[in-house]
Amino acid sequence: MIINHPILGPRDAQEFVYLGDANLINRPDGTTAGIEAFHDYLYNRDNPAGEHRELWYHEQGDRSWLVVTRNTVTHEITKVELARDVAKAQGRSK
Amino acid sequence: MANQWNALTALGHDTAEVVQIGPYRIAERFDVALASLAMRRGQDKAFAAAAKKAGVPLPGASTHEAGKVFGAFWATPEMWFVEADFATHEDIVAALKPAFGEAASITEQTDAWVRFDVSGEGLVAVFERLSNLDLATLPDGFASRTVMEHLGVYLIRHSATSVTLYGPRSSAQGLLHALEVTAKSVI
Amino acid sequence: MSQSNRISGGQIDRSKTFRFSFDGHVYTGHPGDTLASALLANGVRLMGRSFKYHRPRGPISAGSEEPNALVQLRSGARQEPNTRATVAELFDGLEATSQNAWPSLKLDAMAVNDRLNTFFTAGFYYKTFMWPAAFWEKVYEPIIRRAAGLGSLTKEEDPDEYDKGFAHCDLLVIGAGPAGLMAALTAGRAGARVILADEDFRMGGRLNAESFEVGGQAGADWAAAAVAELASLPNVRLMNRTTIVGAFDHGIYSAVERVSDHLAVPAAGKPRQTLWRIYSKRAILAGGATERPIAFENNDRPGVMLAGALRAYGNRWGVAAGDRVTVFTNNDDGLRTARDLQAKGVDVAAVIDSRTGGELLPGIRHLQGAQVVDSSGRLGLKSITVRTANGKTETIACTALGVSGGWNPNVNITSHHRSRPEWREDIAAFVPGAGGPANLVAAGAAGGNMSTHGALASGQAQALAALESLGISATAGDLPRAEDAPIAISPLWYVHEGKGRAWIDPQNDVTVKDVKLAHKENFTSVEHLKRYTTLGMATDQGKTGNVLGLAVMAELTGQSIPATGTTIYRPPYTPVAMGTLAGRSRGKEFKPFRLTPSHKWASEQGGIFVEVGNWLRLQWLPKPGETTWRESVDREVLATRKSVGICDVTTLGKIDIQGTDAGAFLDRVYSNTFSTLAVGKCRYGLMLREDGMVFDDGTTARMGEHEYVMTTTTANAVTVFRHLEYCRQCLWPDMDVQLISTTEAWAQFSVAGPNARKVLQKIVDQDISDAAFPYMGAGNITIQGQRGRLFRISFSGELAYEIAVPTRYGDALIRKLVAAGAEFDAVVYGTEALGVMRIEKGHVAGGELNGQSTALNMGLGKMVSKKKDSIGMVLSQREGMNRDDGYRLVGVKPVDPKASISAGSHFMEIGAPVELASDGGWLTSKVYSPHLRSDIALGYLKAGDQKIGRRMRAVNFLTKTDTEVEIVSPHFFDPEGERLRG
């Protein structure tokens, strides 16, 4: 597979480590959210046959975490973003 | 003698090793000091100004830039590796810190890496067996981390006949071995 | 017998002669020969035995699709089974032997299976070996394993090297026949970066095997000229002997280059094979087509082969596979075989054409509307029996029969992403379907363009289309003139006459009868048909037989072929040696070793090393006279606790964490608090996963206001760093935190024991008295003028420090420490002594940090602060993880100090039955403690904190031990930690 890194351009997937659903970015605040909310966050994932947003880490590259939009059926990758940008756009800060 | 500190190269010798295989010269470099230089959040202006004043180039992504005293290559967003002459900049953090102050996080990296300068005609034949990077079409000054024989290695292309590698110091022998067997297989 | 069947012509170098052997007989051949062509030239038709019935077999093809002529090449460590003689390039001294035959190829005892064939029908295994179930493992499987199987592996280590490589191109052209050459020429002339790969050692594809002209010259000559032009273009890479074995995502193809298979022994330093990963922007499959047979009774005798192969042996290799040949065809292509062989002076006895009204070749007897219904000849073809149009049978003597049932485009690679081939009625064959690998198109026969002109034209057109899509301008040059004959096929799949067996898949001995039986037993879908009969499951993966088999099924079910469907293909296209996939990553070179800064010194001292991850760490350092490892380890432990010991701890992960939010960041990733840690101090940190399980632990020091140094376990150095980057980028993207690994930048040694300070003070320039450098202190120091770091931390439970210098000075530092320690009888200890001392102190490590344990399990529940948010804090509070009767870390020792216990043992109450219901937990780590003069262990025991002092049993089924033990506190040694602060 080739992942089109938003900064570095196309890179071989062998340089990356896969984590999973990009929804992991949406971690609840541990000071206010309870066990139920964390349970949903950690364990309840969609498993679509089709478009999926997922986290990849460029471990043997620039160490950027990426949000890769990949079709799980065809493996077509339609979008690659820096996870930090996605997180900030989703309102995450400190 | 008691206060003498004998330094060992990454390959475990007193002096840097040079191997010649056909047209390929693989030279260990032991004379370069290295530090990571990361911009602190929100310090863009102060950081850029300090770099300019200190003469530290801040090349863009996938790029290496040589300078008068300091060279640098891009590592990750807002972080660079800075190179300097070891003889004069052994404590490279101490050399950089006054310029950057609290605008940067600076960490000594000199001995985290083994450096090999590989040169000779036909380097593509060697590196296409080691790395997925397309050395033949990369521009001069290209610098990127990639994976070579399981090792995370920074590859800098100076020219079609000259490449620098920074690999993990503890695996220096493994990286040299990979370079040697590969060079032998293509000559 | 010296190449008695060699005729004129061919692309072999007759000026040189190779000697080679097959089953001990020595023969001769020429450069350019394959093993099969050379054997046929020498009149050898019998080359193997079939898998199930042990029927005598010869080659049916002249290429990689070969199901029959499988031989063992070479001997000794280089012996390689199941090599297709049809693609084995001849070299001087080549040594080949037959396989699957005993005592000899001509007299094979297992051929008795052939007489028992009525038992060995489709579904034989499923039906016969079903019952009784208990017989399967002990009786049936060993019998089957002995009887089945083809060649045998050498048991010696492969002496050859295998390499890997990465190649890049704009356009990958797969196959160098007329379509591939034309595509490569078009793209190469336009300046595109082209890789042209072909599995053959000679490029040209069918042009080498045919007699017709291209562009006014012999096809093979045109091909040679095209290859020469391509070789002159710097932007074109020619890769012969290279098979594209798989299509992967995003334009990546894997290719096996047989660098040295055509040599007796690879040249020094050269690999035998190279596995290439080819990155392409566009790809053209020009892999040609494979001829298929027509099934008739006894169609598997040596001498019966595909018509195109018979012709190829004549045209390319100058070999008449028989002195008197016949042809059986349902299409015009079969006629070419008769024409070409006749032109070469071979006696063509007859053409049996199942069609009527076709072309009649002058000087050749034609039987139109006729079919071959049987053959004879035990070890090789002697005659065929023909049913003529008027219903009579006639026997025709011949030693070779070329059969043509039409050609199947080689769609294989287009199916690698599960695209299903589509049926094209006009050529009676499957062509690539929709949904294949992106940016891969087919040209030439692979795409159903069955004439030479069609191949050249489609190769050019597909290349132009690919170039246009890449924005590379190109011009369509003149196409060389070439034949453009229709294939004129009238499908005939199998001859209905006869009660005997008509082979479809000769390697797996699948016959028309088996397909009929599968149909009768309702295994009619193609996927069922395949598995029930084993059709296409042999090493050739059904390249010649699959379409034939499903066509027979279509006929039986009364469905059309497209309605019946086809199985699809997976990588690899042809078999790949395991060594090729492993590349250089085997044995000692499986992964690169990591060496510690004291490795050179420890090697000089005769140290024993152990692999810890990729690190080689000192395990123990024997002294002269010590005969067992325990002697050395006990000495190292006792000496350290008595005086002082030195240990290289460089392997622990070190991460430099800086930034104005560094403290707040650590509070989030550690379950305990670090933002309040004073500068110049360090603290033990516990890191959880989000699910509340313990992830890692280590000490982290605050070196400055905004500067921390974290240590991780050796094993988790990489994953912790990854996790921290994840937290920094994905969870709290605005935190001002910068991370960099410094694991390798510093050589770090633990100096532990009551005299640790005395040793260090000899070389450290600053005052390190307890007052000046208290317990858990950390700071920058100088050591005889050298920059360094000092941390007062302990894993051993002793007064201990970790001292660090830049790695290049690590060797010097270990020598200085040893010298400074000499007056205190300092020892250097390894990982075994380290393990003993940490278990004596009840510190958790690998066995306890198993990814399934909570802080509470480890007795560290209080370290999880609930006053702040941190990873894993919330879910660590789940009810099931906080049960009073959950696992707790305990110490364990045998009641009898002489008894031994083993890690992995399970706790059970004394008197309880030894069964799962009695399981109370398990021993995680065990050592011998020289202080307690007994085995001691750590373990997880249900409600263990309430069972201190109780006696239980430690039962281990693997070591077959059952030992009475006492449950004790995990802190075996100095439980109050007084020595730490000394």
Side-chain angles (χ1 to χ4, degrees), chain B residues 57-88:
Chain B
L58 298 174
S62 303
T63 310
H64 173 272
E65 192 178 329
K68 221 170 174 182
V69 177
F70 297 107
F73 59 95
W74 187 90
T76 184
E78 295 161 13
M79 184 187 276
W80 290 260
F81 279 101
V82 179
E83 302 164 312
D85 182 22
F86 184 84
T88 52

Side-chain angles (χ1 to χ4, degrees), chain B:
Chain B
M1 277 303 280
N3 286 2
Q4 281 288 306
W5 284 89
N6 181 42
L8 281 195
T9 72
L11 291 169
H13 306 303
D14 293 332
T15 52
E17 197 161 321
V18 179
V19 181
Q20 185 80 35
I21 298 167
Y24 305 115
R25 183 174 189 270
I26 306 165
E28 184 187 10
R29 287 287 296 274
F30 194 46
D31 55 351
V32 179
L34 205 60
S36 65
L37 173 70
M39 185 178 80
R40 292 243 172 111
R41 196 50 54 90
Q43 299 289 324
D44 305 51
K45 276 186 185 165
F47 183 81
K52 201 170 175 190
K53 198 172 158 207
V56 177
L58 298 174
S62 303
T63 310
H64 173 272
E65 192 178 329
K68 221 170 174 182
V69 177
F70 297 107
F73 59 95
W74 187 90
T76 184
E78 295 161 13
M79 184 187 276
W80 290 260
F81 279 101
V82 179
E83 302 164 312
D85 182 22
F86 184 84
T88 52
H89 290 75
E90 174 163 353
D91 191 353
I92 185 171
V93 173
L96 291 169
K97 195 84 186 166
F100 287 89
E102 291 296 309
S105 295
I106 308 169
T107 304
E108 182 170 331
Q109 287 282 298
T110 307
D111 284 352
W113 304 90
V114 58
R115 172 171 166 158
F116 291 111
D117 286 354
V118 189
S119 55
E121 291 292 331
L123 283 185
V124 169
V126 175
F127 282 98
E128 73 177 0
R129 284 166 173 81
L130 289 167
S131 159
N132 66 64
L133 293 176
D134 187 9
L135 188 70
T137 59
L138 296 177
D140 290 348
F142 175 90
S144 179
R145 192 163 181 224
T146 185
V147 60
M148 254 178 224
E149 295 288 327
H150 310 279
L151 301 171
V153 173
Y154 282 100
L155 180 150
I156 302 168
R157 180 190 144 129
H158 303 296
S159 73
T161 57
S162 170
V163 162
T164 286
L165 302 178
Y166 283 103
R169 179 183 171 111
S170 65
S171 296
Q173 291 183 12
L175 183 56
L176 176 62
H177 177 70
L179 288 166
E180 285 176 331
V181 294
T182 306
K184 280 177 193 159
S185 81
V186 297
I187 58 169

Side-chain angles (χ1 to χ4, degrees), chain C residues 578-599:
Chain C
M578 294 303 290
T580 310
L581 299 174
R584 298 195 183 276
S585 301
R586 60 177 206 184
K588 274 187 140 177
E589 295 182 33
F590 182 64
K591 272 192 172 182
F593 287 124
R594 302 176 77 182
L595 300 182
T596 66
S598 64
H599 190 85

Side-chain angles (χ1 to χ4, degrees), chain C residues 479-820:
Chain C
L479 272 183
R481 219 165 6 89
E483 62 82 27
D484 194 19
I487 63 160
I489 186 168
S490 176
L492 169 66
W493 303 105
Y494 70 102
V495 173
H496 290 230
E497 191 171 336
K499 290 185 177 162
R501 286 165 293 164
W503 269 262
I504 291 172
D505 176 341
Q507 188 177 133
N508 265 357
D509 280 328
V510 179
T511 66
V512 172
K513 263 181 155 176
D514 295 313
V515 179
K516 286 180 175 171
L517 186 66
H519 171 250
K520 209 161 126 186
E521 299 185 345
N522 209 25
F523 291 97
T524 54
S525 94
V526 285
E527 300 293 347
H528 283 151
L529 169 67
K530 171 178 172 177
R531 282 149 187 94
Y532 198 61
T533 63
T534 71
L535 171 69
M537 290 170 73
T539 56
D540 63 318
Q541 290 285 290
K543 287 189 177 62
T544 58
N546 269 7
V547 173
L548 181 52
L550 65 93
V552 174
M553 181 59 84
E555 197 171 303
L556 293 169
T557 56
Q559 285 184 311
S560 66
I561 289 174
T564 304
T566 176
T567 55
I568 57 173
Y569 301 91
R570 283 182 290 230
Y573 177 65
T574 48
V576 178
M578 294 303 290
T580 310
L581 299 174
R584 298 195 183 276
S585 301
R586 60 177 206 184
K588 274 187 140 177
E589 295 182 33
F590 182 64
K591 272 192 172 182
F593 287 124
R594 302 176 77 182
L595 300 182
T596 66
S598 64
H599 190 85
K600 185 178 182 183
W601 177 86
S603 299
E604 290 167 9
Q605 305 296 314
I608 306 297
F609 298 93
V610 60
E611 287 178 42
V612 180
N614 295 337
W615 288 102
L616 282 185
R617 291 190 75 179
L618 180 68
Q619 195 171 11
W620 67 86
L621 190 56
K623 287 275 177 231
E626 288 173 347
T627 53
T628 68
W629 68 273
R630 263 278 309 281
E631 262 183 88
S632 308
V633 173
D634 288 357
R635 173 184 49 77
E636 289 170 12
V637 171
L638 291 169
T640 300
R641 294 224 187 278
K642 186 179 169 207
S643 178
V644 62
I646 301 156
C647 181
D648 189 330
V649 293
T650 304
T651 63
L652 292 175
K654 295 183 275 294
I655 302 169
D656 206 49
I657 301 173
Q658 296 191 40
T660 51
D661 291 321
F665 179 75
L666 287 169
D667 285 348
R668 299 270 178 85
V669 298
Y670 273 131
S671 62
N672 50 330
T673 306
F674 278 82
S675 53
T676 56
L677 184 67
V679 173
K681 296 285 278 183
C682 41
R683 180 172 287 170
Y684 174 76
L686 190 68
M687 200 179 285
L688 304 185
R689 299 191 311 228
E690 195 67 273
D691 64 3
M693 299 295 172
V694 173
F695 176 22
D696 199 60
D697 69 346
T699 49
T700 288
R702 190 167 194 171
M703 306 300 282
E705 178 62 21
H706 303 308
E707 187 179 347
Y708 292 79
V709 177
M710 172 187 280
T711 58
T712 74
T713 61
T714 300
N716 287 334
V718 169
T719 47
V720 167
F721 192 79
R722 183 188 305 161
H723 173 70
L724 297 184
E725 284 285 13
Y726 161 74
C727 293
R728 187 178 82 101
Q729 296 177 39
C730 300
L731 301 184
W732 305 300
D734 283 335
M735 272 193 169
D736 180 30
V737 184
Q738 292 80 40
L739 306 171
I740 187 90
S741 168
T742 58
T743 305
E744 313 223 355
W746 295 89
Q748 195 152 320
F749 299 95
S750 166
V751 182
N755 288 321
R757 183 183 297 122
K758 289 180 193 157
V759 173
L760 285 176
Q761 192 65 81
K762 287 175 71 179
I763 57 169
V764 173
D765 302 334
Q766 291 78 15
D767 176 13
I768 57 165
S769 66
D770 191 51
F773 209 93
Y775 180 56
M776 294 308 248
N780 294 313
I781 54 162
T782 55
I783 309 145
Q784 295 183 347
Q786 176 60 50
R787 290 176 304 122
R789 289 169 163 182
L790 191 67
F791 308 90
R792 189 166 159 196
I793 50 178
S794 174
F795 198 47
S796 57
E798 297 298 325
L799 165 67
Y801 299 81
E802 289 187 10
I803 185 168
V805 289
T807 309
R808 68 181 63 199
Y809 303 114
D811 179 78
L813 180 57
I814 184 81
R815 292 172 201 271
K816 286 178 189 292
L817 288 170
V818 169

Side-chain angles (χ1 to χ4, degrees), chain A residues 12 27 63 65 75 92-93, chain C residues 249-250 279 690 729 731:
Chain A
D12 192 305
R27 182 182 184 273
R63 291 156 36 197
W65 277 92
H75 292 189
R92 300 200 69 87
S93 179
Chain C
D249 288 313
H250 309 148
Y279 302 88
E690 195 67 273
Q729 296 177 39
L731 301 184

Side-chain angles (χ1 to χ4, degrees), chain C residues 206 209-211 291 305-315 321 325-329 331-344 346-348 350-351 361 364 400-404 407:
Chain C
R206 276 306 295 184
E210 301 292 355
S211 59
E291 202 169 12
M305 60 175 70
L306 293 162
L310 191 58
R311 184 162 85 241
Y313 286 117
N315 286 331
V325 305
T326 48
V327 170
F328 179 24
T329 186
N331 67 88
D332 277 358
D333 194 67
L335 303 181
R336 286 179 173 147
T337 301
R339 186 194 291 124
D340 286 0
L341 290 178
Q342 185 199 34
K344 282 185 165 278
V346 178
D347 178 7
V348 179
V351 170
L361 303 172
I364 293 177
L401 168 67
V403 182
S404 182
W407 291 75

